[in-house]
Amino acid sequence: SPRPDSAPPAIESQSGGCRVAGSRMTDTRRRVKVYTLNEDRQWDDRGTGHVSSCYVERLKGMSLLVRAESDGSLLLESKINPNTAYQKQQDTLIVWSEAENYDLALSFQEKAGCDEIWEKICQVQGKDPSVDITQDLVDESEEERFDDMSSPGLELPSCELSRLEEIAELVASSLPSPLRREKLALALENEGYIKKLLEIFHVCEDLENIEGLHHLYEIIKGIFLLNRTALFEVMFSEECIMDVIGCLEYDPSLSQSRKHREFLTKTAKFKEVIPISDPELKQKIHQTYRVQYIQDMVLPTPSVFEENMLSTLHSFIFFNKVEIVGMLQEDEKFLTDLFAQLTDEATDEEKRQELVNFLKEFCAFSQTLQPQNRDAFFKTLSNMGILPALEVILGMDDAQVRSAATDIFSYLVEYNPSMVREFVMQEAQQNDDDILLINLIIEHMICDTDPELGGAVLLMGLLRTLVDPENMLATANKTEKTEFLGFFYKHCMHVLTAPLLANTTEDKPSKDDFQTAQLLALILELLTFCVEHHTYHIKNYIINKDILRRVLVLMASKHAFLALCALRFKRKIIGLKDEFYNRYIMKSFLFEPVVKAFLNNGSRYNLMNSAIIEMFEFIRVEDIKSLTAHVIENYWKALEDVDYVQTFKGLKLRFEQQRERQDNPKLDSMRSILRNHRYRRDARTLEDEEEMWFNTDEDDMEDGEAVVPPSDKTKNDEDIMDPISKFMERKKLKESEEKEVLLKTNLSGRQSPSFKLSFSSGTKSNLTSQSSASNLPGSPGSPGSPGSPGSPGSVSKSTSQMAAITTKGGLVGLVDYPDDDEEDDEDEDKEETLPLSKKAKLESS
């Protein structure tokens, strides 16, 4: 019976005694509330009383009695049935089903009383009181009809045509009860009953007795649901299986019988691509096919309640497949003939297709093997020459054969990519690049005719697995990564990039249809993966072949997804912060296609807009000096009007800081002195670190303003430390100056009043030249990620600017503090702020 949705409420604690069977009881241990479950799945309170257990003559057994505390009337009288499942919940609840759809619960006032009654129940049922449920939940009404397993087995009606209805009812009534199913299965095994039923099936078919055939369908279907291997072995034997399938043709719910036997004997043909000499193996293959057919096509789809009842059928098929793979694997003659015919040029196309399909199914069967058996299986195939055979097959014209060969290749790559790598490196010493296995795979990917490129996506995944250093081995003698990647870039990379290079000879893609765009996106995805994982191999290839310039031609594609793939490729390169890449980008002016795409995108607030801004924001935040200078010197005129984010103005600020340092080399000596005298951080809380950093920044500013004019050639320690000691005296003056700066920026129209509210009084904005230059990447205020751009061209920019403008100390929650072990870098970057601080003060004076 179904369990309640929620437990009944606990009994309230009350003082005072109660009367049970005319006596006064002061003991509250046995005080309970009785609950029943209503149709709405809610518990109804039937009254409060005291529970006891005793033998009731009328019920012929130990029973639970609850008498009302108000008048001593009997609230509950329930026999403790040996087969009922009692559950103990929350230490004070006992729940059980009295009959179908009738749930009862006792809620005890005290745990001790609950434990006492629970021990009585467990004693009657012969259970350990430590359990929370006395037995599996079963249908008690069925169990009451039978004694325990020691009683005599179930007696089946005699197997006669006239009693088929009775037999069908008996099978149907036994299925809900585990005990009854067990007894029915034993009776069917012991009496050879199934074969007798199949004899009656022939009689019914001869007489065209449709009613009898309908009963037989129900009986055979019920026997399947008994889930017994011993019964399946009888039903699936060579002499019985077709008759069993015949019984299942006569489904009473269908107006016309199915023709399963006709399909299996006439339509489905068993093809021996290589003759099988072992009769046992041949019979096992036939049996497995037919049982699989029964499971997939004949038996109705099991309901939620029947799924587990067919678990043994699944297991039967599974172990049959394991046995078939093992028997074929051990037959060396069979496998030798198979591979010989596969690679023989004289084999006709139809025969070769059958052989490849068999090998594909053979590999699919192997997925059922245990890991150690699968190792042996693929080792056997490797020794038999499966990879050279696949190379031959993939070079053929038949598309269906190639498709099956690709599936086989995927099994091999997923199982052991190192085995495939070793083979292709060995064959490279003997064969031309055109017929190398990996190049054949790349060509099939490029030539996929499917509009959705389903096959190409699969092949790209296999290539990624093969070039992934994470699954490459490193031994004492050799490194697979070095060897294989050297091979791949020498022999295969030019094949992979050929479509990309062919399509980007002009300023825009020469072919821009959807299928070509999809293919180029797949190639770019793999190249981006290589940039991330292959270091110098891909770097040499990109720079020597000018790959990035060709990729950026795709920024002009009409397909946004392809343009974004090209941008993502460049972003991955910039993310490496490698000066070799940076010099290549600057020398070839490779920001031009990106800036063009940004300007062509106009005021649209879309993924392209956000991705391009994020790239420039990364350059700003990470302070990549060479790229910053290159962008400002060459593209500032095009970008200076973009003010809905502060990214480009921030880049200009970075650039000016760099120029300031170059123009004033004397300031470097001051930074060196300051570094020697700066207080070092000790271990403390994040808040203390933050406060200390901000304070020292402001001290440095005061230092530059009051003590060290730009013309000074000598500086002493006392002059440098004096402003730090006077910092607290001047703090209020500093805060008022910063508020004035904020007010000016608001009046300039670049910042809304609502944005100003997100700053604290001591916060420094990076929107103008008066701002504190704590916006270098090493300073703890630098954000971990750029804000999202606001909507270009929108009427009100206040909200978008709040999200977009990144400040070093504002926008709480967007600031990512570096680790303590970057202390030296942080110190150096902080001191780079001094020239700007002095300049700001001098300009305002």
Side-chain angles (χ1 to χ4, degrees), residues 303-341:
S303 68
V304 175
F305 304 105
E306 292 174 339
E307 277 183 353
N308 291 334
M309 290 184 173
L310 292 175
S311 60
T312 304
L313 183 61
H314 294 296
S315 299
F316 188 94
I317 296 169
F318 173 85
F319 288 113
N320 261 21
K321 289 181 177 180
V322 170
E323 206 170 334
I324 290 169
V325 171
M327 294 168 80
L328 284 171
Q329 190 178 328
E330 292 167 7
D331 192 338
E332 287 190 17
K333 183 181 183 307
F334 179 87
L335 290 179
T336 304
D337 291 347
L338 172 67
F339 284 104
Q341 292 191 35

mmCIF file of all heavy atoms in Angstrom, residues 303-341:
data_model
loop_
_atom_site.group_PDB
_atom_site.id
_atom_site.type_symbol
_atom_site.label_atom_id
_atom_site.label_comp_id
_atom_site.label_asym_id
_atom_site.label_seq_id
_atom_site.Cartn_x
_atom_site.Cartn_y
_atom_site.Cartn_z
ATOM 1 N N SER A 303 5.275 -1.219 -18.290
ATOM 2 C CA SER A 303 4.886 -0.046 -17.512
ATOM 3 C C SER A 303 5.951 0.215 -16.453
ATOM 4 O O SER A 303 6.898 -0.557 -16.278
ATOM 5 C CB SER A 303 3.531 -0.291 -16.836
ATOM 6 O OG SER A 303 3.682 -1.296 -15.845
ATOM 7 N N VAL A 304 5.785 1.307 -15.727
ATOM 8 C CA VAL A 304 6.738 1.643 -14.669
ATOM 9 C C VAL A 304 6.844 0.506 -13.663
ATOM 10 O O VAL A 304 7.915 0.193 -13.144
ATOM 11 C CB VAL A 304 6.290 2.943 -13.961
ATOM 12 C CG1 VAL A 304 7.196 3.255 -12.790
ATOM 13 C CG2 VAL A 304 6.294 4.102 -14.946
ATOM 14 N N PHE A 305 5.711 -0.172 -13.413
ATOM 15 C CA PHE A 305 5.687 -1.226 -12.396
ATOM 16 C C PHE A 305 6.263 -2.537 -12.926
ATOM 17 O O PHE A 305 6.612 -3.410 -12.155
ATOM 18 C CB PHE A 305 4.247 -1.448 -11.918
ATOM 19 C CG PHE A 305 3.610 -0.199 -11.397
ATOM 20 C CD1 PHE A 305 2.669 0.480 -12.155
ATOM 21 C CD2 PHE A 305 3.980 0.330 -10.177
ATOM 22 C CE1 PHE A 305 2.097 1.657 -11.695
ATOM 23 C CE2 PHE A 305 3.411 1.502 -9.706
ATOM 24 C CZ PHE A 305 2.464 2.171 -10.454
ATOM 25 N N GLU A 306 6.352 -2.674 -14.248
ATOM 26 C CA GLU A 306 6.815 -3.937 -14.828
ATOM 27 C C GLU A 306 8.282 -3.907 -15.259
ATOM 28 O O GLU A 306 8.844 -4.942 -15.569
ATOM 29 C CB GLU A 306 5.957 -4.285 -16.056
ATOM 30 C CG GLU A 306 4.534 -4.641 -15.724
ATOM 31 C CD GLU A 306 3.687 -4.845 -16.980
ATOM 32 O OE1 GLU A 306 4.072 -4.333 -18.051
ATOM 33 O OE2 GLU A 306 2.658 -5.511 -16.877
ATOM 34 N N GLU A 307 8.900 -2.724 -15.261
ATOM 35 C CA GLU A 307 10.261 -2.620 -15.796
ATOM 36 C C GLU A 307 11.219 -3.575 -15.104
ATOM 37 O O GLU A 307 11.994 -4.276 -15.727
ATOM 38 C CB GLU A 307 10.758 -1.175 -15.677
ATOM 39 C CG GLU A 307 10.281 -0.303 -16.833
ATOM 40 C CD GLU A 307 10.820 1.102 -16.748
ATOM 41 O OE1 GLU A 307 11.456 1.437 -15.739
ATOM 42 O OE2 GLU A 307 10.600 1.871 -17.695
ATOM 43 N N ASN A 308 11.191 -3.591 -13.772
ATOM 44 C CA ASN A 308 12.108 -4.455 -13.027
ATOM 45 C C ASN A 308 11.785 -5.930 -13.227
ATOM 46 O O ASN A 308 12.628 -6.792 -13.014
ATOM 47 C CB ASN A 308 12.063 -4.113 -11.538
ATOM 48 C CG ASN A 308 12.668 -2.752 -11.263
ATOM 49 O OD1 ASN A 308 13.504 -2.306 -12.036
ATOM 50 N ND2 ASN A 308 12.232 -2.097 -10.210
ATOM 51 N N MET A 309 10.538 -6.237 -13.626
ATOM 52 C CA MET A 309 10.152 -7.634 -13.815
ATOM 53 C C MET A 309 10.828 -8.240 -15.046
ATOM 54 O O MET A 309 10.862 -9.456 -15.185
ATOM 55 C CB MET A 309 8.630 -7.750 -13.957
ATOM 56 C CG MET A 309 7.868 -7.479 -12.664
ATOM 57 S SD MET A 309 6.104 -7.732 -12.886
ATOM 58 C CE MET A 309 5.513 -7.575 -11.210
ATOM 59 N N LEU A 310 11.364 -7.415 -15.935
ATOM 60 C CA LEU A 310 12.032 -7.936 -17.128
ATOM 61 C C LEU A 310 13.558 -7.827 -17.017
ATOM 62 O O LEU A 310 14.266 -7.951 -18.014
ATOM 63 C CB LEU A 310 11.545 -7.181 -18.368
ATOM 64 C CG LEU A 310 10.087 -7.429 -18.758
ATOM 65 C CD1 LEU A 310 9.677 -6.534 -19.913
ATOM 66 C CD2 LEU A 310 9.850 -8.893 -19.123
ATOM 67 N N SER A 311 14.072 -7.577 -15.824
ATOM 68 C CA SER A 311 15.522 -7.420 -15.657
ATOM 69 C C SER A 311 16.269 -8.688 -16.057
ATOM 70 O O SER A 311 17.363 -8.625 -16.627
ATOM 71 C CB SER A 311 15.855 -7.049 -14.208
ATOM 72 O OG SER A 311 15.403 -8.067 -13.320
ATOM 73 N N THR A 312 15.700 -9.855 -15.791
ATOM 74 C CA THR A 312 16.373 -11.106 -16.136
ATOM 75 C C THR A 312 16.438 -11.296 -17.646
ATOM 76 O O THR A 312 17.396 -11.874 -18.167
ATOM 77 C CB THR A 312 15.643 -12.300 -15.488
ATOM 78 O OG1 THR A 312 15.564 -12.072 -14.081
ATOM 79 C CG2 THR A 312 16.398 -13.593 -15.713
ATOM 80 N N LEU A 313 15.438 -10.779 -18.368
ATOM 81 C CA LEU A 313 15.461 -10.854 -19.826
ATOM 82 C C LEU A 313 16.626 -10.022 -20.375
ATOM 83 O O LEU A 313 17.343 -10.467 -21.277
ATOM 84 C CB LEU A 313 14.131 -10.352 -20.395
ATOM 85 C CG LEU A 313 13.958 -10.429 -21.913
ATOM 86 C CD1 LEU A 313 14.057 -11.863 -22.396
ATOM 87 C CD2 LEU A 313 12.638 -9.809 -22.339
ATOM 88 N N HIS A 314 16.817 -8.830 -19.817
ATOM 89 C CA HIS A 314 17.958 -7.997 -20.218
ATOM 90 C C HIS A 314 19.262 -8.741 -19.949
ATOM 91 O O HIS A 314 20.181 -8.738 -20.783
ATOM 92 C CB HIS A 314 17.953 -6.674 -19.437
ATOM 93 C CG HIS A 314 16.787 -5.786 -19.743
ATOM 94 N ND1 HIS A 314 16.571 -5.225 -20.978
ATOM 95 C CD2 HIS A 314 15.757 -5.356 -18.964
ATOM 96 C CE1 HIS A 314 15.468 -4.498 -20.952
ATOM 97 N NE2 HIS A 314 14.959 -4.563 -19.742
ATOM 98 N N SER A 315 19.352 -9.345 -18.783
ATOM 99 C CA SER A 315 20.580 -10.066 -18.420
ATOM 100 C C SER A 315 20.824 -11.243 -19.353
ATOM 101 O O SER A 315 21.978 -11.527 -19.722
ATOM 102 C CB SER A 315 20.489 -10.559 -16.972
ATOM 103 O OG SER A 315 20.343 -9.483 -16.090
ATOM 104 N N PHE A 316 19.763 -11.936 -19.750
ATOM 105 C CA PHE A 316 19.888 -13.088 -20.648
ATOM 106 C C PHE A 316 20.543 -12.652 -21.962
ATOM 107 O O PHE A 316 21.476 -13.283 -22.465
ATOM 108 C CB PHE A 316 18.502 -13.700 -20.901
ATOM 109 C CG PHE A 316 18.526 -14.989 -21.657
ATOM 110 C CD1 PHE A 316 18.526 -16.195 -20.981
ATOM 111 C CD2 PHE A 316 18.556 -15.010 -23.045
ATOM 112 C CE1 PHE A 316 18.546 -17.401 -21.671
ATOM 113 C CE2 PHE A 316 18.580 -16.202 -23.745
ATOM 114 C CZ PHE A 316 18.581 -17.400 -23.052
ATOM 115 N N ILE A 317 20.050 -11.532 -22.515
ATOM 116 C CA ILE A 317 20.607 -11.023 -23.771
ATOM 117 C C ILE A 317 22.056 -10.570 -23.573
ATOM 118 O O ILE A 317 22.932 -10.852 -24.392
ATOM 119 C CB ILE A 317 19.735 -9.865 -24.296
ATOM 120 C CG1 ILE A 317 18.327 -10.372 -24.643
ATOM 121 C CG2 ILE A 317 20.375 -9.186 -25.496
ATOM 122 C CD1 ILE A 317 17.318 -9.277 -24.917
ATOM 123 N N PHE A 318 22.298 -9.872 -22.485
ATOM 124 C CA PHE A 318 23.636 -9.355 -22.194
ATOM 125 C C PHE A 318 24.674 -10.481 -22.153
ATOM 126 O O PHE A 318 25.714 -10.409 -22.816
ATOM 127 C CB PHE A 318 23.595 -8.609 -20.858
ATOM 128 C CG PHE A 318 24.937 -8.165 -20.350
ATOM 129 C CD1 PHE A 318 25.496 -6.974 -20.767
ATOM 130 C CD2 PHE A 318 25.642 -8.940 -19.438
ATOM 131 C CE1 PHE A 318 26.738 -6.565 -20.303
ATOM 132 C CE2 PHE A 318 26.870 -8.545 -18.972
ATOM 133 C CZ PHE A 318 27.426 -7.356 -19.398
ATOM 134 N N PHE A 319 24.390 -11.523 -21.391
ATOM 135 C CA PHE A 319 25.363 -12.603 -21.246
ATOM 136 C C PHE A 319 25.504 -13.424 -22.532
ATOM 137 O O PHE A 319 26.569 -13.972 -22.817
ATOM 138 C CB PHE A 319 25.000 -13.485 -20.054
ATOM 139 C CG PHE A 319 25.263 -12.814 -18.734
ATOM 140 C CD1 PHE A 319 24.224 -12.464 -17.887
ATOM 141 C CD2 PHE A 319 26.565 -12.502 -18.355
ATOM 142 C CE1 PHE A 319 24.479 -11.838 -16.675
ATOM 143 C CE2 PHE A 319 26.824 -11.878 -17.144
ATOM 144 C CZ PHE A 319 25.780 -11.539 -16.303
ATOM 145 N N ASN A 320 24.441 -13.496 -23.308
ATOM 146 C CA ASN A 320 24.561 -14.145 -24.619
ATOM 147 C C ASN A 320 25.559 -13.400 -25.510
ATOM 148 O O ASN A 320 26.380 -14.010 -26.195
ATOM 149 C CB ASN A 320 23.188 -14.187 -25.307
ATOM 150 C CG ASN A 320 22.517 -15.545 -25.151
ATOM 151 O OD1 ASN A 320 22.856 -16.317 -24.253
ATOM 152 N ND2 ASN A 320 21.559 -15.839 -26.006
ATOM 153 N N LYS A 321 25.474 -12.065 -25.498
ATOM 154 C CA LYS A 321 26.389 -11.264 -26.317
ATOM 155 C C LYS A 321 27.827 -11.439 -25.856
ATOM 156 O O LYS A 321 28.751 -11.542 -26.679
ATOM 157 C CB LYS A 321 25.985 -9.785 -26.266
ATOM 158 C CG LYS A 321 24.697 -9.473 -27.020
ATOM 159 C CD LYS A 321 24.362 -7.992 -26.942
ATOM 160 C CE LYS A 321 23.108 -7.678 -27.772
ATOM 161 N NZ LYS A 321 22.762 -6.256 -27.700
ATOM 162 N N VAL A 322 28.038 -11.461 -24.549
ATOM 163 C CA VAL A 322 29.382 -11.680 -24.006
ATOM 164 C C VAL A 322 29.933 -13.020 -24.490
ATOM 165 O O VAL A 322 31.100 -13.141 -24.892
ATOM 166 C CB VAL A 322 29.360 -11.621 -22.460
ATOM 167 C CG1 VAL A 322 30.688 -12.082 -21.889
ATOM 168 C CG2 VAL A 322 29.031 -10.210 -21.987
ATOM 169 N N GLU A 323 29.076 -14.025 -24.463
ATOM 170 C CA GLU A 323 29.501 -15.369 -24.875
ATOM 171 C C GLU A 323 29.837 -15.400 -26.371
ATOM 172 O O GLU A 323 30.819 -16.017 -26.787
ATOM 173 C CB GLU A 323 28.369 -16.362 -24.564
ATOM 174 C CG GLU A 323 28.863 -17.777 -24.358
ATOM 175 C CD GLU A 323 27.760 -18.685 -23.811
ATOM 176 O OE1 GLU A 323 26.825 -18.182 -23.155
ATOM 177 O OE2 GLU A 323 27.845 -19.894 -24.071
ATOM 178 N N ILE A 324 29.022 -14.714 -27.183
ATOM 179 C CA ILE A 324 29.269 -14.684 -28.630
ATOM 180 C C ILE A 324 30.608 -14.016 -28.935
ATOM 181 O O ILE A 324 31.411 -14.522 -29.734
ATOM 182 C CB ILE A 324 28.116 -13.952 -29.354
ATOM 183 C CG1 ILE A 324 26.843 -14.807 -29.299
ATOM 184 C CG2 ILE A 324 28.486 -13.644 -30.803
ATOM 185 C CD1 ILE A 324 25.596 -14.070 -29.744
ATOM 186 N N VAL A 325 30.870 -12.856 -28.292
ATOM 187 C CA VAL A 325 32.139 -12.153 -28.518
ATOM 188 C C VAL A 325 33.313 -13.040 -28.137
ATOM 189 O O VAL A 325 34.311 -13.145 -28.861
ATOM 190 C CB VAL A 325 32.175 -10.831 -27.708
ATOM 191 C CG1 VAL A 325 33.570 -10.209 -27.767
ATOM 192 C CG2 VAL A 325 31.156 -9.844 -28.246
ATOM 193 N N GLY A 326 33.197 -13.712 -26.997
ATOM 194 C CA GLY A 326 34.284 -14.593 -26.554
ATOM 195 C C GLY A 326 34.537 -15.736 -27.519
ATOM 196 O O GLY A 326 35.702 -16.044 -27.848
ATOM 197 N N MET A 327 33.476 -16.354 -28.034
ATOM 198 C CA MET A 327 33.637 -17.488 -28.954
ATOM 199 C C MET A 327 34.229 -17.048 -30.292
ATOM 200 O O MET A 327 35.078 -17.733 -30.865
ATOM 201 C CB MET A 327 32.287 -18.189 -29.161
ATOM 202 C CG MET A 327 31.754 -18.858 -27.886
ATOM 203 S SD MET A 327 30.032 -19.379 -28.010
ATOM 204 C CE MET A 327 30.187 -20.912 -28.901
ATOM 205 N N LEU A 328 33.803 -15.882 -30.793
ATOM 206 C CA LEU A 328 34.358 -15.380 -32.049
ATOM 207 C C LEU A 328 35.819 -14.982 -31.882
ATOM 208 O O LEU A 328 36.654 -15.200 -32.763
ATOM 209 C CB LEU A 328 33.549 -14.177 -32.534
ATOM 210 C CG LEU A 328 32.183 -14.476 -33.160
ATOM 211 C CD1 LEU A 328 31.418 -13.181 -33.391
ATOM 212 C CD2 LEU A 328 32.345 -15.229 -34.478
ATOM 213 N N GLN A 329 36.126 -14.368 -30.750
ATOM 214 C CA GLN A 329 37.489 -13.914 -30.485
ATOM 215 C C GLN A 329 38.470 -15.081 -30.451
ATOM 216 O O GLN A 329 39.625 -14.948 -30.848
ATOM 217 C CB GLN A 329 37.488 -13.168 -29.144
ATOM 218 C CG GLN A 329 38.757 -12.429 -28.823
ATOM 219 C CD GLN A 329 38.614 -11.705 -27.494
ATOM 220 O OE1 GLN A 329 37.546 -11.258 -27.121
ATOM 221 N NE2 GLN A 329 39.709 -11.600 -26.770
ATOM 222 N N GLU A 330 37.996 -16.217 -29.970
ATOM 223 C CA GLU A 330 38.868 -17.392 -29.860
ATOM 224 C C GLU A 330 39.024 -18.136 -31.194
ATOM 225 O O GLU A 330 39.896 -18.990 -31.329
ATOM 226 C CB GLU A 330 38.302 -18.342 -28.796
ATOM 227 C CG GLU A 330 38.397 -17.770 -27.375
ATOM 228 C CD GLU A 330 37.565 -18.566 -26.381
ATOM 229 O OE1 GLU A 330 37.031 -19.623 -26.789
ATOM 230 O OE2 GLU A 330 37.457 -18.134 -25.227
ATOM 231 N N ASP A 331 38.168 -17.828 -32.158
ATOM 232 C CA ASP A 331 38.214 -18.513 -33.449
ATOM 233 C C ASP A 331 39.183 -17.769 -34.380
ATOM 234 O O ASP A 331 38.799 -16.857 -35.124
ATOM 235 C CB ASP A 331 36.798 -18.555 -34.046
ATOM 236 C CG ASP A 331 36.706 -19.491 -35.246
ATOM 237 O OD1 ASP A 331 37.761 -19.755 -35.858
ATOM 238 O OD2 ASP A 331 35.594 -19.937 -35.564
ATOM 239 N N GLU A 332 40.456 -18.137 -34.340
ATOM 240 C CA GLU A 332 41.476 -17.418 -35.101
ATOM 241 C C GLU A 332 41.249 -17.516 -36.612
ATOM 242 O O GLU A 332 41.474 -16.555 -37.353
ATOM 243 C CB GLU A 332 42.869 -17.946 -34.750
ATOM 244 C CG GLU A 332 43.333 -17.519 -33.371
ATOM 245 C CD GLU A 332 44.796 -17.849 -33.139
ATOM 246 O OE1 GLU A 332 45.503 -18.106 -34.128
ATOM 247 O OE2 GLU A 332 45.214 -17.839 -31.974
ATOM 248 N N LYS A 333 40.799 -18.661 -37.069
ATOM 249 C CA LYS A 333 40.563 -18.830 -38.504
ATOM 250 C C LYS A 333 39.490 -17.861 -38.988
ATOM 251 O O LYS A 333 39.615 -17.239 -40.055
ATOM 252 C CB LYS A 333 40.136 -20.270 -38.793
ATOM 253 C CG LYS A 333 39.937 -20.555 -40.289
ATOM 254 C CD LYS A 333 39.504 -21.970 -40.534
ATOM 255 C CE LYS A 333 39.378 -22.268 -42.032
ATOM 256 N NZ LYS A 333 38.531 -21.318 -42.744
ATOM 257 N N PHE A 334 38.444 -17.720 -38.192
ATOM 258 C CA PHE A 334 37.348 -16.830 -38.562
ATOM 259 C C PHE A 334 37.867 -15.399 -38.716
ATOM 260 O O PHE A 334 37.610 -14.724 -39.723
ATOM 261 C CB PHE A 334 36.246 -16.897 -37.503
ATOM 262 C CG PHE A 334 35.078 -15.994 -37.764
ATOM 263 C CD1 PHE A 334 34.026 -16.413 -38.548
ATOM 264 C CD2 PHE A 334 35.045 -14.704 -37.243
ATOM 265 C CE1 PHE A 334 32.952 -15.570 -38.807
ATOM 266 C CE2 PHE A 334 33.989 -13.864 -37.498
ATOM 267 C CZ PHE A 334 32.937 -14.305 -38.275
ATOM 268 N N LEU A 335 38.610 -14.891 -37.726
ATOM 269 C CA LEU A 335 39.093 -13.512 -37.775
ATOM 270 C C LEU A 335 40.127 -13.316 -38.881
ATOM 271 O O LEU A 335 40.149 -12.266 -39.551
ATOM 272 C CB LEU A 335 39.696 -13.127 -36.412
ATOM 273 C CG LEU A 335 38.692 -12.974 -35.263
ATOM 274 C CD1 LEU A 335 39.405 -12.630 -33.977
ATOM 275 C CD2 LEU A 335 37.651 -11.905 -35.575
ATOM 276 N N THR A 336 40.971 -14.304 -39.087
ATOM 277 C CA THR A 336 41.970 -14.191 -40.159
ATOM 278 C C THR A 336 41.289 -14.055 -41.520
ATOM 279 O O THR A 336 41.648 -13.194 -42.334
ATOM 280 C CB THR A 336 42.886 -15.426 -40.148
ATOM 281 O OG1 THR A 336 43.488 -15.567 -38.867
ATOM 282 C CG2 THR A 336 43.973 -15.292 -41.203
ATOM 283 N N ASP A 337 40.274 -14.889 -41.762
ATOM 284 C CA ASP A 337 39.525 -14.806 -43.026
ATOM 285 C C ASP A 337 38.814 -13.460 -43.156
ATOM 286 O O ASP A 337 38.756 -12.877 -44.245
ATOM 287 C CB ASP A 337 38.510 -15.944 -43.112
ATOM 288 C CG ASP A 337 39.174 -17.310 -43.270
ATOM 289 O OD1 ASP A 337 40.392 -17.336 -43.550
ATOM 290 O OD2 ASP A 337 38.485 -18.338 -43.105
ATOM 291 N N LEU A 338 38.264 -12.977 -42.025
ATOM 292 C CA LEU A 338 37.525 -11.708 -42.029
ATOM 293 C C LEU A 338 38.420 -10.566 -42.505
ATOM 294 O O LEU A 338 38.066 -9.824 -43.438
ATOM 295 C CB LEU A 338 36.988 -11.423 -40.627
ATOM 296 C CG LEU A 338 36.353 -10.045 -40.406
ATOM 297 C CD1 LEU A 338 35.065 -9.925 -41.208
ATOM 298 C CD2 LEU A 338 36.058 -9.804 -38.925
ATOM 299 N N PHE A 339 39.587 -10.422 -41.903
ATOM 300 C CA PHE A 339 40.461 -9.295 -42.258
ATOM 301 C C PHE A 339 41.086 -9.483 -43.633
ATOM 302 O O PHE A 339 41.342 -8.504 -44.349
ATOM 303 C CB PHE A 339 41.537 -9.107 -41.182
ATOM 304 C CG PHE A 339 41.003 -8.455 -39.928
ATOM 305 C CD1 PHE A 339 40.766 -9.194 -38.783
ATOM 306 C CD2 PHE A 339 40.717 -7.105 -39.914
ATOM 307 C CE1 PHE A 339 40.262 -8.597 -37.647
ATOM 308 C CE2 PHE A 339 40.213 -6.485 -38.775
ATOM 309 C CZ PHE A 339 39.974 -7.237 -37.627
ATOM 310 N N ALA A 340 41.342 -10.724 -44.018
ATOM 311 C CA ALA A 340 41.896 -10.969 -45.350
ATOM 312 C C ALA A 340 40.920 -10.518 -46.429
ATOM 313 O O ALA A 340 41.301 -9.855 -47.410
ATOM 314 C CB ALA A 340 42.225 -12.452 -45.506
ATOM 315 N N GLN A 341 39.638 -10.850 -46.254
ATOM 316 C CA GLN A 341 38.638 -10.462 -47.258
ATOM 317 C C GLN A 341 38.353 -8.963 -47.226
ATOM 318 O O GLN A 341 38.038 -8.361 -48.254
ATOM 319 C CB GLN A 341 37.351 -11.263 -47.049
ATOM 320 C CG GLN A 341 37.497 -12.748 -47.366
ATOM 321 C CD GLN A 341 36.147 -13.460 -47.401
ATOM 322 O OE1 GLN A 341 35.146 -12.891 -47.810
ATOM 323 N NE2 GLN A 341 36.134 -14.720 -46.977
#
